[in-house]
Amino acid sequence: MANFKDIIGQDQIKKHLQDGIAKGNISHAYIINGETGSGRKLLASALTKTLLCENRTDDGDACGVCKSCLQTDSGNHPDVRFITHEKASVSVDDIREQLVNDIAIKPYSSEYKVYIMPDANKMTEQAQNALLKTIEEPPAYAVILLLTENYQSLLETIQSRCVILNTKPLEKNSIKEYLIKTLQMEP
């Protein structure tokens, strides 16, 4: 999982999320929308890691060394759930089994319990309706991250109850600068 400092571009979204964390003003549900490769998964992982971190840095990022950060990095944090699906779409059963039935269980070791759905735009209408009640009345500790390439494919009732963060395509100069400075590649 990434830290905010490791993400190139998306400065406005990073600032929004880090300010929210610093002020204790985190939404219960976010839609992180953007094209493939725009950083949706990195933003979700940085937010998750920072929310669960035991020793956040002064600039609102995860420390990277506490037990929670190490568990998150290894994919073994008990308070992080990835909503997966076996078929072409995310079914109502996927939502009920992996999110709705689990969300009432309080976090094991953190202040938050984070649910990440990488393919939110693949939810069936029935799955979205099953998710809707949970998004309307979530427990205080729950944070739901819906990652999508097209947030408009989600029901308007879901959109209206989430904070929508639209990623922007990375500029070529940002990528070039990152490759040269961070990875010491030749120009």
Side-chain angles (χ1 to χ4, degrees):
M1 293 236 174
N3 284 42
F4 283 116
K5 66 178 172 52
D6 301 324
I7 300 172
I8 57 172
Q10 313 308 342
D11 294 336
Q12 189 175 2
I13 294 174
K14 291 189 305 189
K15 181 172 177 18
H16 173 82
L17 294 172
Q18 288 178 294
D19 286 351
I21 291 167
K23 294 174 183 169
N25 187 17
I26 292 297
S27 176
H28 65 285
Y30 290 93
I31 295 172
I32 303 177
N33 181 66
E35 60 187 50
T36 301
S38 64
R40 292 180 319 227
K41 290 179 183 173
L42 286 174
L43 287 164
S45 70
L47 174 59
T48 300
K49 188 173 176 180
T50 305
L51 283 175
L52 302 178
C53 180
E54 298 164 17
N55 304 306
R56 288 184 203 125
T57 63
D58 292 338
D59 61 352
D61 211 344
C63 72
V65 295
C66 69
K67 180 181 178 185
S68 184
C69 283
L70 296 175
Q71 285 179 315
T72 305
D73 282 341
S74 68
N76 291 317
H77 199 291
D79 296 325
V80 178
R81 301 279 190 273
F82 286 91
I83 310 304
T84 59
H85 58 99
E86 306 247 333
K87 299 181 179 125
S89 60
V90 180
S91 72
V92 66
D93 291 337
D94 293 329
I95 295 299
R96 285 182 181 146
E97 290 168 14
Q98 298 176 55
L99 198 151
V100 176
N101 294 342
D102 184 79
I103 207 161
I105 302 168
K106 292 186 179 183
Y108 177 74
S109 63
S110 301
E111 181 181 350
Y112 296 98
K113 193 169 187 181
V114 182
Y115 295 85
I116 302 171
M117 188 181 312
D119 298 317
N121 52 298
K122 294 184 178 178
M123 276 190 289
T124 64
E125 189 171 339
Q126 295 87 350
Q128 292 182 57
N129 282 317
L131 176 63
L132 189 56
K133 182 161 176 44
T134 302
I135 286 182
E136 288 173 335
E137 300 173 10
Y141 52 78
V143 177
I144 300 169
L145 306 176
L146 305 174
L147 312 185
T148 179
E149 294 178 12
N150 179 13
Y151 77 90
Q152 292 162 331
S153 66
L154 300 174
L155 296 173
E156 284 186 22
T157 48
I158 288 184
Q159 293 176 40
S160 68
R161 288 163 176 80
C162 298
V163 173
I164 300 173
L165 303 171
N166 288 303
T167 61
K168 296 180 176 110
L170 294 177
E171 296 176 13
K172 288 183 181 179
N173 285 342
S174 298
I175 297 169
K176 181 180 176 182
E177 188 177 307
Y178 174 80
L179 293 173
I180 293 169
K181 283 185 177 177
T182 309
L183 301 179
Q184 282 82 39
M185 295 181 82
E186 296 292 323

